[in-house]
Structure formats: structure tokens, C-alpha cells
Amino acid sequence: MQQLDDELQIILKGRWFERDSWEFISSQIHSGIKRCRIKHDEALQSMATAVFGTKAVRIQLSFVFFK
């Protein structure tokens, strides 16, 4: 996760660790909610690729975060 840029880290940490709303997260990165959700999906894809390689299958895109 540390390899992601700051904006993506804010989105993932806010959504999964802090359980913040999309409205709050989007205000932190000065972006719209829709764009924030798109970047969230991109961040998960990046993490799946880093962990499982370029042939990550759909099931491997389901992460479980523990606090």
C-alpha cells in the first residue's frame, strides 16, 4: 500500500480502515465522489496486481482489511 500515491492511500485508508463516507473522503482529496470511487477501484486493481501479478483474477480483487 505504501507504493501507492498519497491520494490513493487516503482513499483506501479512509474507506477501509476509518470507514469514512465517500463525501468525507472526496472532500479530503478535493475531488468528486464519482472520481473518488473510480480512483478507489484503480487502487484496488494496483494492489491486486502488485500482490498477485498481472494475471490477477476477480476473486483476488476482494481484499479484507484488519485494523
Side-chain angles (χ1 to χ4, degrees):
M1 191 156 156
Q2 293 175 348
Q3 294 177 354
L4 299 174
D5 66 29
D6 293 338
E7 193 173 80
L8 296 178
Q9 287 185 32
I10 290 170
I11 293 170
L12 289 180
K13 287 179 183 176
R15 192 65 182 163
W16 295 105
F17 296 119
E18 304 298 327
R19 299 290 189 194
D20 294 330
S21 67
W22 286 116
E23 291 84 5
F24 181 76
I25 296 168
S26 64
S27 71
Q28 285 186 311
I29 62 168
H30 309 288
S31 182
I33 295 170
K34 184 176 180 179
R35 181 71 184 140
C36 192
R37 288 182 177 188
I38 291 169
K39 290 184 89 47
H40 169 267
D41 293 342
E42 291 171 358
L44 287 181
Q45 179 68 44
S46 294
M47 286 181 56
T49 301
V51 173
F52 302 111
T54 56
K55 294 187 179 195
V57 292
R58 196 76 180 136
I59 192 71
Q60 292 168 328
L61 293 177
S62 300
F63 289 95
V64 177
F65 294 99
F66 295 99
K67 197 167 189 175

